[in-house]
Short mmCIF file of all heavy atoms in Angstrom, two decimals:
data_model
loop_
_atom_site.label_atom_id
_atom_site.label_comp_id
_atom_site.label_asym_id
_atom_site.label_seq_id
_atom_site.Cartn_x
_atom_site.Cartn_y
_atom_site.Cartn_z
N MET A 11 0.83 -1.20 0.00
CA MET A 11 0.00 0.00 0.00
C MET A 11 0.87 1.25 0.00
O MET A 11 1.84 1.36 0.74
CB MET A 11 -0.90 0.01 1.25
CG MET A 11 -2.22 -0.73 1.03
SD MET A 11 -3.20 0.11 -0.21
CE MET A 11 -4.80 -0.61 0.13
N LYS A 12 0.50 2.17 -0.83
CA LYS A 12 1.23 3.42 -0.95
C LYS A 12 0.86 4.36 0.19
O LYS A 12 -0.31 4.56 0.47
CB LYS A 12 0.86 4.06 -2.29
CG LYS A 12 1.91 4.99 -2.83
CD LYS A 12 1.53 5.40 -4.24
CE LYS A 12 1.74 6.88 -4.45
NZ LYS A 12 1.22 7.34 -5.72
N LYS A 13 1.86 4.95 0.81
CA LYS A 13 1.57 5.90 1.88
C LYS A 13 1.54 7.30 1.30
O LYS A 13 2.28 7.62 0.38
CB LYS A 13 2.63 5.81 2.99
CG LYS A 13 2.46 4.53 3.77
CD LYS A 13 3.08 4.63 5.14
CE LYS A 13 2.79 3.34 5.88
NZ LYS A 13 3.40 3.29 7.19
N CYS A 14 0.65 8.09 1.86
CA CYS A 14 0.44 9.41 1.31
C CYS A 14 0.35 10.41 2.45
O CYS A 14 -0.35 10.18 3.42
CB CYS A 14 -0.86 9.38 0.51
SG CYS A 14 -1.29 10.93 -0.22
N ARG A 15 1.08 11.50 2.33
CA ARG A 15 1.05 12.50 3.38
C ARG A 15 0.03 13.59 3.02
O ARG A 15 0.02 14.11 1.91
CB ARG A 15 2.42 13.13 3.57
CG ARG A 15 2.53 13.87 4.89
CD ARG A 15 3.91 14.40 5.09
NE ARG A 15 4.11 15.58 4.25
CZ ARG A 15 4.85 16.63 4.61
NH1 ARG A 15 5.49 16.63 5.75
NH2 ARG A 15 4.98 17.66 3.82
N ILE A 16 -0.83 13.88 3.97
CA ILE A 16 -1.85 14.90 3.76
C ILE A 16 -1.61 16.04 4.75
O ILE A 16 -1.52 15.80 5.95
CB ILE A 16 -3.26 14.30 4.00
CG1 ILE A 16 -3.52 13.14 3.02
CG2 ILE A 16 -4.34 15.37 3.89
CD1 ILE A 16 -4.61 12.20 3.48
N THR A 17 -1.48 17.23 4.22
CA THR A 17 -1.29 18.39 5.09
C THR A 17 -2.52 19.28 4.99
O THR A 17 -2.97 19.57 3.88
CB THR A 17 -0.04 19.20 4.70
OG1 THR A 17 1.07 18.31 4.60
CG2 THR A 17 0.28 20.27 5.72
N VAL A 18 -3.06 19.66 6.11
CA VAL A 18 -4.22 20.56 6.10
C VAL A 18 -3.71 21.95 5.75
O VAL A 18 -2.89 22.52 6.46
CB VAL A 18 -4.91 20.58 7.49
CG1 VAL A 18 -6.11 21.51 7.48
CG2 VAL A 18 -5.33 19.17 7.89
N MET A 19 -4.18 22.48 4.61
CA MET A 19 -3.72 23.78 4.15
C MET A 19 -4.64 24.89 4.62
O MET A 19 -4.20 25.98 4.96
CB MET A 19 -3.67 23.83 2.61
CG MET A 19 -2.80 22.75 1.99
SD MET A 19 -1.07 22.87 2.47
CE MET A 19 -0.57 24.23 1.43
N LYS A 20 -5.91 24.60 4.62
CA LYS A 20 -6.88 25.63 4.94
C LYS A 20 -8.14 24.98 5.45
O LYS A 20 -8.52 23.90 4.97
CB LYS A 20 -7.19 26.42 3.67
CG LYS A 20 -7.82 27.75 3.93
CD LYS A 20 -7.94 28.55 2.65
CE LYS A 20 -8.56 29.91 2.93
NZ LYS A 20 -8.62 30.73 1.74
N MET A 21 -8.77 25.59 6.40
CA MET A 21 -10.03 25.05 6.90
C MET A 21 -11.10 26.09 6.65
O MET A 21 -10.97 27.23 7.08
CB MET A 21 -9.89 24.75 8.40
CG MET A 21 -10.96 23.83 8.91
SD MET A 21 -12.43 24.71 9.38
CE MET A 21 -12.33 24.61 11.15
N ALA A 22 -12.10 25.69 5.89
CA ALA A 22 -13.19 26.61 5.58
C ALA A 22 -14.43 26.20 6.34
O ALA A 22 -14.85 25.05 6.29
CB ALA A 22 -13.46 26.62 4.08
N ARG A 23 -14.99 27.13 7.04
CA ARG A 23 -16.18 26.85 7.82
C ARG A 23 -17.09 28.07 7.70
O ARG A 23 -16.66 29.19 7.99
CB ARG A 23 -15.76 26.62 9.28
CG ARG A 23 -16.89 26.13 10.17
CD ARG A 23 -16.52 26.33 11.63
NE ARG A 23 -17.73 26.58 12.38
CZ ARG A 23 -18.27 25.68 13.22
NH1 ARG A 23 -17.66 24.56 13.44
NH2 ARG A 23 -19.38 25.95 13.84
N TYR A 24 -18.28 27.84 7.22
CA TYR A 24 -19.19 28.96 7.01
C TYR A 24 -20.37 28.86 7.94
O TYR A 24 -21.33 28.14 7.68
CB TYR A 24 -19.65 28.99 5.55
CG TYR A 24 -18.46 29.01 4.59
CD1 TYR A 24 -18.04 27.86 3.94
CD2 TYR A 24 -17.78 30.21 4.37
CE1 TYR A 24 -16.94 27.89 3.09
CE2 TYR A 24 -16.69 30.24 3.52
CZ TYR A 24 -16.27 29.08 2.89
OH TYR A 24 -15.18 29.12 2.05
N ASP A 25 -20.29 29.57 9.03
CA ASP A 25 -21.35 29.50 10.03
C ASP A 25 -22.68 30.00 9.50
O ASP A 25 -23.73 29.50 9.89
CB ASP A 25 -20.94 30.30 11.27
CG ASP A 25 -19.85 29.58 12.06
OD1 ASP A 25 -20.01 28.38 12.32
OD2 ASP A 25 -18.83 30.21 12.39
N ASP A 26 -22.64 30.97 8.61
CA ASP A 26 -23.89 31.49 8.05
C ASP A 26 -24.60 30.41 7.24
O ASP A 26 -25.82 30.31 7.25
CB ASP A 26 -23.64 32.74 7.20
CG ASP A 26 -22.55 32.53 6.14
OD1 ASP A 26 -21.68 31.67 6.33
OD2 ASP A 26 -22.60 33.24 5.12
N LEU A 27 -23.82 29.56 6.55
CA LEU A 27 -24.42 28.48 5.76
C LEU A 27 -24.88 27.35 6.67
O LEU A 27 -25.94 26.76 6.45
CB LEU A 27 -23.42 27.95 4.73
CG LEU A 27 -23.01 28.92 3.62
CD1 LEU A 27 -22.02 28.26 2.68
CD2 LEU A 27 -24.24 29.38 2.82
N ILE A 28 -24.09 27.06 7.70
CA ILE A 28 -24.44 25.99 8.64
C ILE A 28 -25.79 26.30 9.28
O ILE A 28 -26.64 25.43 9.44
CB ILE A 28 -23.33 25.80 9.70
CG1 ILE A 28 -22.08 25.23 9.03
CG2 ILE A 28 -23.79 24.88 10.83
CD1 ILE A 28 -20.83 25.22 9.91
N GLU A 29 -26.02 27.56 9.61
CA GLU A 29 -27.27 27.96 10.25
C GLU A 29 -28.48 27.71 9.37
O GLU A 29 -29.59 27.55 9.86
CB GLU A 29 -27.21 29.46 10.61
CG GLU A 29 -26.52 29.71 11.93
CD GLU A 29 -26.22 31.18 12.16
OE1 GLU A 29 -26.94 32.03 11.59
OE2 GLU A 29 -25.26 31.47 12.89
N LYS A 30 -28.27 27.69 8.05
CA LYS A 30 -29.38 27.50 7.13
C LYS A 30 -29.82 26.03 7.04
O LYS A 30 -30.86 25.73 6.51
CB LYS A 30 -29.01 28.02 5.74
CG LYS A 30 -28.90 29.54 5.71
CD LYS A 30 -28.76 30.03 4.28
CE LYS A 30 -28.15 31.42 4.19
NZ LYS A 30 -28.83 32.45 4.95
N TYR A 31 -28.98 25.13 7.53
CA TYR A 31 -29.34 23.71 7.51
C TYR A 31 -30.43 23.43 8.53
O TYR A 31 -30.50 24.07 9.57
CB TYR A 31 -28.13 22.83 7.81
CG TYR A 31 -27.23 22.62 6.62
CD1 TYR A 31 -26.09 23.39 6.47
CD2 TYR A 31 -27.53 21.66 5.65
CE1 TYR A 31 -25.25 23.21 5.38
CE2 TYR A 31 -26.70 21.49 4.56
CZ TYR A 31 -25.56 22.26 4.42
OH TYR A 31 -24.75 22.09 3.36
N GLU A 32 -31.24 22.44 8.21
CA GLU A 32 -32.31 22.06 9.12
C GLU A 32 -31.76 21.52 10.44
O GLU A 32 -32.27 21.81 11.50
CB GLU A 32 -33.17 20.97 8.46
CG GLU A 32 -34.64 21.34 8.38
CD GLU A 32 -35.41 20.32 7.61
OE1 GLU A 32 -35.39 20.35 6.36
OE2 GLU A 32 -36.03 19.47 8.26
N ASN A 33 -30.70 20.70 10.33
CA ASN A 33 -30.06 20.14 11.52
C ASN A 33 -28.61 20.59 11.56
O ASN A 33 -27.73 19.91 11.06
CB ASN A 33 -30.11 18.61 11.51
CG ASN A 33 -31.53 18.08 11.44
OD1 ASN A 33 -32.36 18.37 12.30
ND2 ASN A 33 -31.82 17.34 10.39
N PRO A 34 -28.36 21.75 12.14
CA PRO A 34 -26.99 22.28 12.14
C PRO A 34 -26.03 21.31 12.83
O PRO A 34 -26.37 20.68 13.83
CB PRO A 34 -27.10 23.58 12.93
CG PRO A 34 -28.55 23.92 12.92
CD PRO A 34 -29.29 22.63 12.86
N ILE A 35 -24.84 21.19 12.27
CA ILE A 35 -23.83 20.31 12.83
C ILE A 35 -23.02 21.11 13.83
O ILE A 35 -22.55 22.21 13.51
CB ILE A 35 -22.86 19.78 11.74
CG1 ILE A 35 -23.55 19.73 10.37
CG2 ILE A 35 -22.32 18.41 12.11
CD1 ILE A 35 -22.58 19.66 9.20
N ALA A 36 -22.86 20.55 15.02
CA ALA A 36 -22.11 21.25 16.06
C ALA A 36 -20.63 21.32 15.68
O ALA A 36 -20.00 22.37 15.79
CB ALA A 36 -22.27 20.54 17.38
N HIS A 37 -20.09 20.21 15.22
CA HIS A 37 -18.69 20.16 14.84
C HIS A 37 -18.59 19.87 13.35
O HIS A 37 -18.42 18.72 12.95
CB HIS A 37 -17.94 19.09 15.63
CG HIS A 37 -17.44 19.60 16.93
ND1 HIS A 37 -16.30 20.38 17.02
CD2 HIS A 37 -17.93 19.49 18.17
CE1 HIS A 37 -16.13 20.70 18.29
NE2 HIS A 37 -17.09 20.18 19.01
N ALA A 38 -18.73 20.90 12.55
CA ALA A 38 -18.70 20.70 11.10
C ALA A 38 -17.32 20.22 10.69
O ALA A 38 -17.18 19.35 9.85
CB ALA A 38 -19.05 21.98 10.39
N CYS A 39 -16.30 20.76 11.29
CA CYS A 39 -14.94 20.40 10.91
C CYS A 39 -13.98 20.76 12.04
O CYS A 39 -14.06 21.84 12.59
CB CYS A 39 -14.56 21.15 9.64
SG CYS A 39 -13.00 20.59 8.96
N ASP A 40 -13.10 19.84 12.36
CA ASP A 40 -12.15 20.08 13.44
C ASP A 40 -10.71 20.19 12.96
O ASP A 40 -9.78 20.14 13.73
CB ASP A 40 -12.20 18.93 14.45
CG ASP A 40 -13.48 18.97 15.26
OD1 ASP A 40 -13.94 20.08 15.56
OD2 ASP A 40 -14.01 17.90 15.59
N MET A 41 -10.56 20.34 11.65
CA MET A 41 -9.21 20.38 11.10
C MET A 41 -8.54 21.70 11.40
O MET A 41 -9.17 22.74 11.43
CB MET A 41 -9.25 20.18 9.57
CG MET A 41 -9.77 18.81 9.15
SD MET A 41 -8.74 17.44 9.70
CE MET A 41 -9.62 16.92 11.17
N GLN A 42 -7.22 21.65 11.64
CA GLN A 42 -6.45 22.86 11.87
C GLN A 42 -5.36 22.93 10.82
O GLN A 42 -4.66 21.94 10.60
CB GLN A 42 -5.80 22.82 13.26
CG GLN A 42 -6.75 23.22 14.36
CD GLN A 42 -6.70 22.28 15.54
OE1 GLN A 42 -5.87 21.41 15.61
NE2 GLN A 42 -7.63 22.47 16.46
N PRO A 43 -5.21 24.09 10.17
CA PRO A 43 -4.17 24.21 9.15
C PRO A 43 -2.80 23.86 9.73
O PRO A 43 -2.49 24.22 10.86
CB PRO A 43 -4.24 25.69 8.75
CG PRO A 43 -5.64 26.08 9.05
CD PRO A 43 -6.03 25.30 10.27
N GLY A 44 -2.03 23.11 8.97
CA GLY A 44 -0.71 22.71 9.42
C GLY A 44 -0.67 21.30 9.96
O GLY A 44 0.40 20.72 10.10
N ARG A 45 -1.84 20.74 10.25
CA ARG A 45 -1.90 19.37 10.76
C ARG A 45 -1.53 18.39 9.65
O ARG A 45 -1.92 18.57 8.51
CB ARG A 45 -3.31 19.05 11.26
CG ARG A 45 -3.32 18.78 12.76
CD ARG A 45 -4.67 18.37 13.20
NE ARG A 45 -4.68 16.95 13.59
CZ ARG A 45 -5.71 16.36 14.16
NH1 ARG A 45 -6.81 17.04 14.38
NH2 ARG A 45 -5.67 15.11 14.50
N ILE A 46 -0.79 17.37 10.00
CA ILE A 46 -0.35 16.40 8.99
C ILE A 46 -0.90 15.02 9.31
O ILE A 46 -0.89 14.58 10.46
CB ILE A 46 1.20 16.38 8.89
CG1 ILE A 46 1.70 17.72 8.34
CG2 ILE A 46 1.67 15.22 8.01
CD1 ILE A 46 3.17 17.96 8.55
N PHE A 47 -1.43 14.36 8.27
CA PHE A 47 -1.95 13.00 8.41
C PHE A 47 -1.22 12.11 7.43
O PHE A 47 -0.81 12.56 6.36
CB PHE A 47 -3.45 12.97 8.06
CG PHE A 47 -4.31 13.74 9.01
CD1 PHE A 47 -4.62 15.07 8.76
CD2 PHE A 47 -4.81 13.14 10.15
CE1 PHE A 47 -5.41 15.80 9.64
CE2 PHE A 47 -5.61 13.87 11.04
CZ PHE A 47 -5.91 15.19 10.77
N ILE A 48 -1.04 10.86 7.80
CA ILE A 48 -0.45 9.91 6.87
C ILE A 48 -1.52 8.88 6.51
O ILE A 48 -2.04 8.19 7.38
CB ILE A 48 0.78 9.18 7.49
CG1 ILE A 48 1.82 10.17 8.01
CG2 ILE A 48 1.39 8.20 6.48
CD1 ILE A 48 2.57 10.98 6.97
N ALA A 49 -1.85 8.82 5.23
CA ALA A 49 -2.84 7.86 4.77
C ALA A 49 -2.13 6.63 4.24
O ALA A 49 -1.16 6.72 3.50
CB ALA A 49 -3.69 8.47 3.67
N ASN A 50 -2.61 5.48 4.65
CA ASN A 50 -2.05 4.22 4.19
C ASN A 50 -2.97 3.71 3.08
O ASN A 50 -4.01 3.11 3.35
CB ASN A 50 -1.96 3.24 5.35
CG ASN A 50 -1.04 2.07 5.05
OD1 ASN A 50 -0.51 1.95 3.95
ND2 ASN A 50 -0.86 1.22 6.02
N GLY A 51 -2.59 3.97 1.84
CA GLY A 51 -3.44 3.59 0.72
C GLY A 51 -4.75 4.36 0.79
O GLY A 51 -4.74 5.57 0.93
N TRP A 52 -5.85 3.64 0.71
CA TRP A 52 -7.15 4.30 0.72
C TRP A 52 -7.85 4.18 2.05
O TRP A 52 -9.06 4.19 2.13
CB TRP A 52 -8.02 3.79 -0.42
CG TRP A 52 -7.48 4.27 -1.73
CD1 TRP A 52 -6.91 3.50 -2.69
CD2 TRP A 52 -7.41 5.62 -2.20
NE1 TRP A 52 -6.49 4.30 -3.73
CE2 TRP A 52 -6.79 5.59 -3.45
CE3 TRP A 52 -7.82 6.86 -1.66
CZ2 TRP A 52 -6.55 6.75 -4.20
CZ3 TRP A 52 -7.58 8.01 -2.40
CH2 TRP A 52 -6.96 7.95 -3.64
N GLN A 53 -7.06 4.00 3.10
CA GLN A 53 -7.62 3.95 4.44
C GLN A 53 -7.60 5.35 5.01
O GLN A 53 -6.54 6.01 5.01
CB GLN A 53 -6.75 3.04 5.30
CG GLN A 53 -7.48 1.84 5.86
CD GLN A 53 -6.54 1.04 6.75
OE1 GLN A 53 -5.53 0.52 6.29
NE2 GLN A 53 -6.86 0.99 8.00
N LYS A 54 -8.71 5.80 5.51
CA LYS A 54 -8.76 7.16 6.04
C LYS A 54 -7.93 7.26 7.31
O LYS A 54 -8.09 6.46 8.22
CB LYS A 54 -10.21 7.54 6.34
CG LYS A 54 -10.38 9.00 6.76
CD LYS A 54 -11.84 9.36 6.93
CE LYS A 54 -12.37 9.04 8.32
NZ LYS A 54 -11.92 9.99 9.35
N PRO A 55 -7.02 8.23 7.39
CA PRO A 55 -6.23 8.40 8.61
C PRO A 55 -7.12 8.73 9.80
O PRO A 55 -8.12 9.43 9.64
CB PRO A 55 -5.30 9.57 8.29
CG PRO A 55 -5.34 9.73 6.83
CD PRO A 55 -6.68 9.24 6.38
N GLU A 56 -6.73 8.22 10.94
CA GLU A 56 -7.47 8.46 12.18
C GLU A 56 -7.59 9.96 12.44
O GLU A 56 -6.60 10.67 12.41
CB GLU A 56 -6.68 7.78 13.33
CG GLU A 56 -7.37 7.78 14.67
CD GLU A 56 -8.50 6.77 14.76
OE1 GLU A 56 -8.37 5.67 14.19
OE2 GLU A 56 -9.52 7.10 15.40
N GLY A 57 -8.80 10.42 12.66
CA GLY A 57 -9.00 11.81 13.01
C GLY A 57 -9.19 12.77 11.85
O GLY A 57 -9.50 13.93 12.04
N LEU A 58 -8.98 12.27 10.64
CA LEU A 58 -9.14 13.16 9.49
C LEU A 58 -10.63 13.41 9.21
O LEU A 58 -11.44 12.50 9.32
CB LEU A 58 -8.45 12.56 8.26
CG LEU A 58 -8.56 13.38 6.96
CD1 LEU A 58 -7.80 14.70 7.09
CD2 LEU A 58 -8.02 12.60 5.78
N CYS A 59 -10.91 14.65 8.84
CA CYS A 59 -12.26 15.08 8.52
C CYS A 59 -12.89 14.20 7.43
O CYS A 59 -12.28 13.97 6.39
CB CYS A 59 -12.16 16.52 8.04
SG CYS A 59 -13.62 17.18 7.28
N ASP A 60 -14.10 13.70 7.68
CA ASP A 60 -14.78 12.81 6.74
C ASP A 60 -15.02 13.45 5.37
O ASP A 60 -14.78 12.82 4.35
CB ASP A 60 -16.13 12.37 7.30
CG ASP A 60 -15.96 11.34 8.41
OD1 ASP A 60 -15.01 10.53 8.33
OD2 ASP A 60 -16.78 11.35 9.34
N SER A 61 -15.50 14.69 5.36
CA SER A 61 -15.80 15.31 4.07
C SER A 61 -14.53 15.63 3.30
O SER A 61 -14.51 15.55 2.07
CB SER A 61 -16.69 16.54 4.21
OG SER A 61 -16.57 17.14 5.45
N ALA A 62 -13.45 15.96 4.03
CA ALA A 62 -12.18 16.21 3.35
C ALA A 62 -11.70 14.92 2.70
O ALA A 62 -11.26 14.92 1.55
CB ALA A 62 -11.14 16.72 4.34
N TRP A 63 -11.82 13.81 3.42
CA TRP A 63 -11.37 12.53 2.90
C TRP A 63 -12.19 12.13 1.69
O TRP A 63 -11.67 11.64 0.69
CB TRP A 63 -11.46 11.47 4.00
CG TRP A 63 -11.02 10.12 3.54
CD1 TRP A 63 -11.81 9.01 3.41
CD2 TRP A 63 -9.69 9.71 3.17
NE1 TRP A 63 -11.05 7.96 2.97
CE2 TRP A 63 -9.76 8.35 2.81
CE3 TRP A 63 -8.47 10.38 3.10
CZ2 TRP A 63 -8.64 7.64 2.38
CZ3 TRP A 63 -7.35 9.66 2.66
CH2 TRP A 63 -7.43 8.32 2.32
N GLU A 64 -13.49 12.35 1.76
CA GLU A 64 -14.37 12.02 0.63
C GLU A 64 -13.98 12.80 -0.62
O GLU A 64 -13.91 12.25 -1.71
CB GLU A 64 -15.83 12.34 0.98
CG GLU A 64 -16.58 11.13 1.50
CD GLU A 64 -17.97 11.51 1.99
OE1 GLU A 64 -18.68 12.22 1.26
OE2 GLU A 64 -18.32 11.09 3.11
N SER A 65 -13.70 14.08 -0.44
CA SER A 65 -13.32 14.92 -1.58
C SER A 65 -12.01 14.42 -2.20
O SER A 65 -11.86 14.37 -3.40
CB SER A 65 -13.12 16.37 -1.16
OG SER A 65 -14.15 16.78 -0.32
N MET A 66 -11.06 14.04 -1.35
CA MET A 66 -9.78 13.58 -1.85
C MET A 66 -9.90 12.21 -2.52
O MET A 66 -9.26 11.96 -3.52
CB MET A 66 -8.76 13.51 -0.70
CG MET A 66 -8.33 14.88 -0.27
SD MET A 66 -7.03 14.85 0.97
CE MET A 66 -7.98 14.59 2.44
N SER A 67 -10.74 11.34 -1.96
CA SER A 67 -10.93 10.02 -2.55
C SER A 67 -11.52 10.13 -3.95
O SER A 67 -11.19 9.37 -4.84
CB SER A 67 -11.86 9.18 -1.68
OG SER A 67 -11.39 9.14 -0.37
N ALA A 68 -12.40 11.11 -4.13
CA ALA A 68 -13.05 11.30 -5.42
C ALA A 68 -12.06 11.70 -6.49
O ALA A 68 -12.24 11.39 -7.67
CB ALA A 68 -14.14 12.36 -5.29
N LEU A 69 -10.97 12.37 -6.09
CA LEU A 69 -9.96 12.80 -7.07
C LEU A 69 -9.14 11.62 -7.58
O LEU A 69 -8.65 11.63 -8.69
CB LEU A 69 -9.00 13.82 -6.43
CG LEU A 69 -9.60 15.14 -6.00
CD1 LEU A 69 -8.56 15.97 -5.27
CD2 LEU A 69 -10.13 15.91 -7.19
N GLY A 70 -8.97 10.61 -6.72
CA GLY A 70 -8.17 9.46 -7.11
C GLY A 70 -8.90 8.61 -8.12
O GLY A 70 -8.34 7.92 -8.90
ZN1 ZN B 8 -13.59 19.30 7.32
#
């Protein structure tokens, strides 16, 4: 399995948009810029944001 390093470059969170959802998410995203994750193949690294991982998986 190929290892891949993922660095959080930017975290975008739009509270105005979150408020418009019927069921607002308390923790939309906990990523902090500068955080580094190591992905082992297509296994999501522990603690990595689900939507970020989904977006990256779609690119592969
Ligand atoms: Zn996120």
Side-chain angles (χ1 to χ4, degrees):
M11 272 295 197
K12 205 172 136 188
K13 288 202 177 177
C14 180
R15 197 177 76 145
I16 299 160
T17 309
V18 180
M19 303 298 283
K20 199 173 181 177
M21 197 274 253
R23 188 197 149 108
Y24 305 100
D25 288 311
D26 52 334
L27 294 179
I28 291 170
E29 276 169 26
K30 290 189 201 305
Y31 280 98
E32 236 175 280
N33 302 301
I35 332 162
H37 273 281
C39 189
D40 288 324
M41 295 297 98
Q42 279 134 8
R45 244 185 111 172
I46 294 164
F47 294 93
I48 305 291
N50 196 357
W52 290 112
Q53 241 182 297
K54 186 175 87 75
E56 187 75 38
L58 179 66
C59 168
D60 286 327
S61 25
W63 180 247
E64 264 173 48
S65 316
M66 287 185 278
S67 306
L69 295 174

